[in-house]
Amino acid sequence: MEGLFFNVNNGYIEGIVRGYRNGLLTGQNYNNLTQCETIDDLKLQLGPAYGDFLASLPPNPSTSTLAEKTTDKLIAEFRYVRANAVGALAKFMDYLTYGYMIDNVALLITGTLHERDTRELLERCHPLGWFETMPVLCVATNIEELYNSVLIETPLAPYFKGSLSHQDLDELNIEIVRNTLYKNYLEDFNNFVNTDPDMAGTPTAEVMTEILEFEADRRAINITLNSFGTDLSKTDRKKLYPSFGRLYPEGSYMLSRAEDVEGVRLAVEGVSDYKTYFDAAGMGQSSAGAGNMSGGTGGDGKSLEDLFYQKEMEISKSAFTRQFSFAIVYAWVKLREQEIRNITWIAECIAQNQKERIGNYISVF
Amino acid sequence: MSGAGNREAVFPTRQSLGLMKSKLKGAQTGHDLLKRKNVSEVIYHDPILPGISSYEITEITRRIDEAKRKMGRVMQIAAFSLAEVTYAVGGDIGYQVQESAKSARFRVRTKQENVSGVFLPAFESYTTDGNNDFGLTGLGKGGQQVQRCRETYARAVETLVELASLQTAFVILDEVIKVVNRRVNAIISEHVIIPRTENTIKYINSELDELDREEFFRLKKVQNKKQRDTAAQDAEMRLKRDAAEKAEAASGSTSSDKENELGTGDILGESEDADVIF
């Protein structure tokens, strides 16, 4: 039924995005990239996919500028899609940008807290998280002003409301603020895809719920693992877990009680996927090397974070198997982000002559 | 006086005297300069020189070499761990880390080490406990990479501190060795070169004086001789004149004339000899 009128409004967008998806680098491309000896070779290999955007780069560019330029391409395409989107899809894409907005706002709050000139920070902000009133954030000179008159005007206002007061911004660690916002955002996004009349009960809701639940679980697990050894209390930690996902509520509760990696492993026992990851990453049994990407200097197995990224990419890839769904836009953005990370990683390995770990990228096509 | 030992082997001529004089002047100027430039006058008067041997320098150079190589490796690992952070976090955390760091966790203290009479500053690094300013960075994702990256960089800084310590020691030891060398040079010039040159000059002077005196004596002798000769000639002339007068008076014997002629010949021969000596 949802397929009947989908193409009236969104057919063009779906076509475009599927086209973009076909433009993603494949395993073969990555193989070629890893054979490169210099960044210039890499640039040449990326030519077909990124041509115009890399053309202005000087010879042997730094990896950061390379990442910047590849991101530029994503931004340009995203803006084009966003400009052509109408109705629920437009709103959906706005939701997609909120995640980046949270990062930007957190950055600006940090700047304001330390009484820096926040205008300089604007260019450090992620372009996807740009919103019209963002430069206004720089006007505020203290946190109270920022909270009462500026943040309230941003799309993120609902996420602040009810969970963070202006004193909190001042006192809490910015990471806690960021993660609280992100938790609220995930819950809101989940709520949105499941209740919006245009999406509820459609493949969009189905796929997006899967993606968002995974994202929620991943955050919960990561926060728990990363909070070991810091002064984040268990009750504070519990507040950062999104209230949905496959781990919710029992798993979340157990996570909030976990004191070490073993505890986390027990908490995720109920979800076979995550359990497999923990076993594959060799965590739980041995407490050493918690979550280092491929164990850093020792061990060359995949780390938990790698496996999570891998899983995210798998879900994103399978999103394209469904038709008449907005989720492909989300999936495409995530895939492209991973691709940029992969390119940066490969470039970094080439630049630093650390070829033995160059194969650490994640490719699903 | 011009005893064999303490002088240079030169011929006592005026030319070498000139040479020696300029040499002495040079040595004195140099010595003055060395003394004036001497960094630590106190050590200068210390009779015992700090015994920096080339062994210490070699040892330090070796350790610097080691530390530099180690730094290269550690820095590479550190840079790579930063790349890992970028990959895991998927963004720039630099600003956040900068802003949330409030006090130094990694600190350096200095102490003095005594290496054969020279005080060398040594840097010692230590970390303050419980100072974890950005422990929550990357809480959502990549937190472990951030922490690991920090540890790696802490190790890198440790190596840098070690290297700094060694290099300071090297520079100071080098300086000390230069001072010692200069001091040795000063002492050598003060106690060896200058007296030696002075002795040589004295020797040359005395030799030259000796020659002068000999010369003078000889001249005197020659003069005496000449005077004596002239006196003899005069006497002879007088005798001849007297004899001629006598012959005029009473036509004298020829034998006495012959004897007189021979004597005159001898006298001429002698005067010629004197000429040759001149």
Side-chain angles (χ1 to χ4, degrees), chain B residues 92-108:
Chain B
D92 188 15
I93 54 157
Y95 187 78
Q96 204 196 337
V97 170
Q98 275 170 40
E99 288 305 328
S100 49
K102 289 183 193 71
S103 63
R105 177 183 150 93
F106 189 90
R107 295 168 193 229
V108 173

Side-chain angles (χ1 to χ4, degrees), chain B residues 103-265:
Chain B
S103 63
R105 177 183 150 93
F106 189 90
R107 295 168 193 229
V108 173
R109 66 163 87 85
T110 58
K111 60 178 190 208
Q112 288 211 313
E113 247 172 35
N114 191 341
V115 174
S116 32
V118 186
F119 284 100
L120 298 176
F123 302 115
E124 198 182 36
S125 55
Y126 65 101
T127 46
T128 47
D129 289 337
N131 185 348
N132 201 353
D133 279 339
F134 54 96
L136 289 176
T137 307
L139 188 62
K141 51 183 176 182
Q144 272 118 17
Q145 277 82 354
V146 175
Q147 295 310 318
R148 219 168 66 81
C149 180
R150 176 169 75 173
E151 279 160 27
T152 325
Y153 267 96
R155 277 206 300 280
V157 178
E158 231 168 72
T159 321
L160 282 182
V161 169
E162 199 181 307
L163 187 59
S165 176
L166 285 173
Q167 282 192 332
T168 320
F170 182 77
V171 168
I172 289 176
L173 276 185
D174 192 44
E175 188 63 34
V176 166
I177 282 179
K178 269 188 205 149
V179 167
V180 168
N181 279 346
R182 204 182 291 150
R183 203 180 312 138
V184 168
N185 284 343
I187 289 169
I188 288 177
S189 65
E190 188 179 330
H191 295 288
V192 179
I193 295 176
I194 294 179
R196 210 164 123 114
T197 320
E198 275 170 348
N199 275 349
T200 318
I201 289 173
K202 263 185 210 158
Y203 161 73
I204 294 175
N205 273 336
S206 67
E207 287 293 294
L208 287 176
D209 284 354
E210 189 87 8
L211 276 177
D212 273 356
R213 274 195 296 277
E214 273 176 24
E215 206 57 50
F216 187 65
F217 184 73
R218 201 190 337 262
L219 279 173
K220 259 181 151 176
K221 274 270 188 211
V222 168
Q223 216 174 5
N224 283 346
K225 177 101 175 150
K226 272 191 169 175
Q227 274 173 355
R228 216 169 45 230
D229 287 355
T230 329
Q233 264 177 341
D234 284 354
E236 205 178 325
M237 292 288 272
R238 216 172 14 253
L239 272 177
K240 270 187 182 169
R241 225 174 17 246
D242 289 348
E245 277 168 18
K246 267 183 194 171
E248 270 174 38
S251 58
S253 69
T254 50
S255 63
S256 66
D257 272 347
K258 272 179 187 170
E259 261 185 29
N260 279 339
E261 271 169 15
L262 266 173
T264 325

